[in-house]
Amino acid sequence: GDCRSLGQEPDDFSSCPPADPKIRIYDSGMKRYSVEVFPLCVHLVSWEKENVSSESLEAARIACNKYMVKNAGKESFHLRVRVHPFHVLRINKMLSCAGADRLQTGMRGAFGKPQGTCARVSIGQILLSVRCKDQNSQNAQEALRRAKFKFPGRQKIIVSRKWGFTAYDRADYTLWKKEGRLQNDGSNAKLINNHGCLDARPAEDLYLVAARDCLVPKHPEEEEA
């Protein structure tokens, strides 16, 4: 016979994940507020390479959200969970009742059943982000400090130099906004550059100098000064 058919094989590697992951909401607070409203951003950053369960992500989100609502107000922040639990965890259940040793097969056919989900996190990866106004900086840091207790391993709280959830430094954002180079895009902002067809653009979106040179921001006003 075919020796490959001996022993238990995984059932198509479990085509569907187990019961719904515990975390279903990834954005809390005023997620519809414009990028202009919340200039400050604070991150909770993982300092270990590890698995973070969906249960701990939900517990951290609730703890952070509760503190911010109580101390800063429900309309004064936007909290975002930055990792998603896509990795499925399996368990090979063992019987623990009397006479279980007669029923169990030990390590034969040890491919387990789905038990839960987790997010695979690397060092320096952001777990949670809060954007708010400058006056609520201390509240955001304290909220993330409380969320740290829901995770294993080590995390750090870092106040970002960027404007809100955008990828632009606050100084650059302010100058580009004054130059009219930024276009609001929900909680983010798009930088209008010199790429693409110029015929289809309105006159106010045409610029003599590029906004960035090799990813280094350029501001004509500063150069003239």
Side-chain angles (χ1 to χ4, degrees), residues 62-92:
I62 290 170
C64 185
N65 186 65
K66 190 174 287 186
Y67 185 89
M68 287 298 289
V69 168
K70 183 179 178 183
N71 293 276
K74 65 180 183 181
E75 294 192 0
S76 61
F77 73 98
H78 174 196
L79 163 67
R80 177 172 287 171
V81 180
R82 300 285 296 274
V83 292
H84 290 242
F86 292 129
H87 188 73
V88 178
L89 300 172
R90 294 190 303 268
I91 182 172
N92 181 27

Side-chain angles (χ1 to χ4, degrees), residues 10-121:
D11 310 330
D12 285 335
F13 289 96
S14 176
S15 56
C16 63
D20 297 329
K22 292 293 180 287
I23 184 165
R24 304 299 298 274
I25 300 166
Y26 291 87
D27 284 88
S28 304
M30 306 316 292
K31 58 187 177 184
R32 296 191 184 278
Y33 272 24
S34 166
V35 65
E36 294 290 316
V37 181
F38 299 133
L40 182 79
C41 184
V42 186
H43 301 301
L44 181 65
V45 180
S46 172
W47 230 240
E48 299 212 18
K49 183 177 169 67
E50 60 185 356
N51 286 352
V52 177
S53 70
S54 58
E55 290 84 358
S56 62
L57 286 170
E58 175 69 358
R61 184 191 68 81
I62 290 170
C64 185
N65 186 65
K66 190 174 287 186
Y67 185 89
M68 287 298 289
V69 168
K70 183 179 178 183
N71 293 276
K74 65 180 183 181
E75 294 192 0
S76 61
F77 73 98
H78 174 196
L79 163 67
R80 177 172 287 171
V81 180
R82 300 285 296 274
V83 292
H84 290 242
F86 292 129
H87 188 73
V88 178
L89 300 172
R90 294 190 303 268
I91 182 172
N92 181 27
K93 282 189 177 170
M94 294 285 189
L95 298 172
S96 57
C97 56
D101 53 330
R102 291 173 177 272
L103 302 171
Q104 280 178 181
T105 55
M107 288 302 292
R108 178 184 296 175
F111 193 91
K113 295 284 186 285
Q115 183 194 26
T117 57
C118 72
R120 302 184 68 179
V121 174

Side-chain angles (χ1 to χ4, degrees), residues 166-217:
T166 69
Y168 316 123
D169 283 1
R170 292 182 69 165
D172 293 328
Y173 183 94
T174 310
L175 287 167
W176 279 331
K177 193 72 184 173
K178 198 186 296 182
E179 293 167 17
R181 284 183 180 270
L182 287 174
Q183 184 181 342
N184 283 10
D185 186 27
S187 61
N188 208 329
K190 288 179 180 175
L191 180 63
I192 300 170
N193 55 27
N194 288 358
H195 289 286
C197 182
L198 299 179
D199 293 341
R201 287 198 190 188
E204 62 269 15
D205 287 351
L206 297 174
Y207 302 96
L208 291 173
V209 183
R212 290 188 286 195
D213 184 15
C214 297
L215 297 181
V216 177

